Amino acid sequence: MSLLNKLFGGGGGKGGKGPSPQEAIQRLRETEEMLTKKQDFLEKKIDHELAIAKKNGTKNKRAALQALKRKKRYEQQLAQIDGTLSTIEFQREALENANTNTEVLKNMGFAAKAMKSAHENMDIDKVDDLMQDINEQQELAQEISEAISKPVGFGEEFDEDELLAELDELEQEELDKNMLEIGGTENVPLPNVPSTSLPARPAKKEDDEDDMEDLQRWAMAM
């Protein structure tokens, strides 16, 4: 029986159903965990044998040599486990990717069937006719909206050129009126400038002297 058969639970006949990807991945993870524990055990044994060799290096060479031999065997086993773990890790990752791809394809197939079922009762000619009807109804609605929004004069139609000419005449009349008002202000008589001179203001110095004289006379009277 091969190693893979041992990992996946034994052989079985040709008609036997193989393990599922999830089962195989779980088995590989359990094997990785077991080998990792084995690695830790061997690393401790290697350290132990190395300590014995150092301890008996000068006292008991025979015991030291035996410890080094055991250390070498443990190191070989550790190297083999490292290689086995690398192989198992690669196989587990491949199985995980295959399982992911399987689920993706399964979901895509499910979606394709759903889309086919949705389009089963659809006829492309009917769809084209329906879209044509919708476009026609939209055009009709647009025409109705334009007709409703168009202003109605109820028979009162005027020539726009005549209206503009009348507006120009009104503006010209207003302009002429303003010019006449401005021209009329030129004939208004202005007030005459006074011909007589204003009386001069008394000098401040003379007023101060008169006040001083009145103050002195009042003091003498006291």
Side-chain angles (χ1 to χ4, degrees), residues 138-158:
Q138 288 180 344
E139 292 176 359
L140 179 60
Q142 182 66 27
E143 293 177 358
I144 293 174
S145 298
E146 292 178 357
I148 293 175
S149 60
K150 185 181 296 184
V152 180
F154 297 103
E156 296 181 0
E157 296 181 358
F158 302 100

Side-chain angles (χ1 to χ4, degrees), residues 1 73 75 89 114 129 134 144 167 215:
M1 186 179 292
R73 290 198 302 269
E75 288 176 346
E89 183 179 0
D129 294 340
I134 292 175
I144 293 174
L167 179 61
L215 181 61

